[in-house]
Amino acid sequence: MTGTAGLERGYRRWLRWYPRTFRREHEAEVLGVLLAGAREGQRRPDPVECLDLLRGALSMRLRPRVARAERAAVTAVRLMYLGAVVELAAAVTILATIGSVRAGMFQRNPGYPQAQWHAVVAGRLAPTAVAAGIAVAFWLWMAWANGRGHRWARILFALFFGVNAFGLGNGLAAGSAVYARADLAVGTVLCLVHLAAMALLFDQDIRRVAGHRSSAG
């Protein structure tokens, strides 16, 4: 395989991330531009090019498709993307503050057994961090589905809010405000973002129903 053929094959692999309709209409054009801008003797896509192609593909796939006139829905989808960022921050915060949580635990309970602390990390903190990582994917999925106007996504998003609110309340009851204030702050921000996005989604439905009733009356 020649260097040019290998480079073209590498570009095509990254272009597969793009929607099929886009590839059908523009893949040859984009590929031509990429090959024309390649360095002499280049055999594979540069990491920067790969990241740029991936960023473009994700942007295209996650972009809301609801009408721009439905500004509340568009804003709600953007808040969901913000929720994914906050959720990622929550996972990072949990991992970064394990030391401070441990210090606070032993300061308030000097005789706290080390084995029990390791059990807390294995049984509560680590699974919480993993769950936060999974929730990032869920936020992105909800943004994608609501951005395409799927009504089932709104219901599922509301149920997800109930889970988040319960988790925040459970954390307060378990003493998170004392041991992990940073975690509590991130969780509170996350619930507020979730509540705002949900209000925007359902406000649109409420207005639509109200409009139908007024026209019927």
Side-chain angles (χ1 to χ4, degrees):
M1 180 185 294
T2 64
T4 303
L7 180 61
E8 180 178 344
R9 184 176 178 180
Y11 283 137
R12 286 187 184 277
R13 279 199 297 266
W14 285 99
L15 286 171
R16 288 174 190 167
W17 287 91
Y18 284 79
R20 186 174 301 176
T21 54
F22 175 84
R23 297 201 312 268
R24 188 183 305 119
E25 298 177 7
H26 303 289
E27 183 175 18
E29 179 184 354
V30 174
L31 187 60
V33 172
L34 290 170
L35 290 172
R39 303 186 311 275
E40 184 177 354
Q42 184 177 345
R43 293 180 174 272
R44 59 180 60 88
D46 290 333
V48 175
E49 292 178 313
C50 296
L51 289 175
D52 189 55
L53 288 171
L54 183 60
R55 180 190 59 79
L58 290 176
S59 175
M60 192 169 294
R61 286 186 177 277
L62 297 177
R63 185 181 303 155
R65 292 184 182 176
V66 293
R68 288 189 175 273
E70 300 181 6
R71 295 182 179 179
V74 174
T75 304
V77 171
R78 290 174 178 170
L79 283 174
M80 291 175 200
Y81 289 135
L82 176 61
V85 174
V86 175
E87 195 73 70
L88 180 61
V92 174
T93 300
I94 291 170
L95 295 176
T97 57
I98 285 180
S100 62
V101 173
R102 180 181 182 278
M105 182 76 74
F106 282 98
Q107 183 177 3
R108 294 179 62 87
N109 304 281
Y112 198 78
Q114 287 283 350
Q116 190 170 347
W117 164 250
H118 290 303
V120 169
V121 172
R124 293 180 59 186
L125 295 180
T128 301
V130 173
I134 295 173
V136 171
F138 187 85
W139 276 95
L140 294 176
W141 180 41
M142 285 292 93
W144 177 86
N146 282 284
R148 280 150 181 76
H150 297 303
R151 291 192 175 276
W152 59 264
R154 300 187 181 190
I155 298 173
L156 188 58
F157 189 66
L159 294 175
F160 185 44
F161 173 75
V163 173
N164 272 342
F166 175 79
L168 181 62
N170 190 47
L172 286 171
S176 295
V178 176
Y179 297 119
R181 295 178 181 176
D183 300 349
L184 177 65
V186 172
T188 302
V189 171
L190 192 61
C191 271
L192 290 175
V193 171
H194 201 152
L195 181 61
M198 191 171 63
L200 288 168
L201 285 175
F202 286 98
D203 177 69
Q204 182 179 344
D205 288 340
I206 293 172
R207 289 176 181 274
R208 187 180 293 114
V209 171
H212 285 322
R213 288 182 176 177
S214 61
S215 60

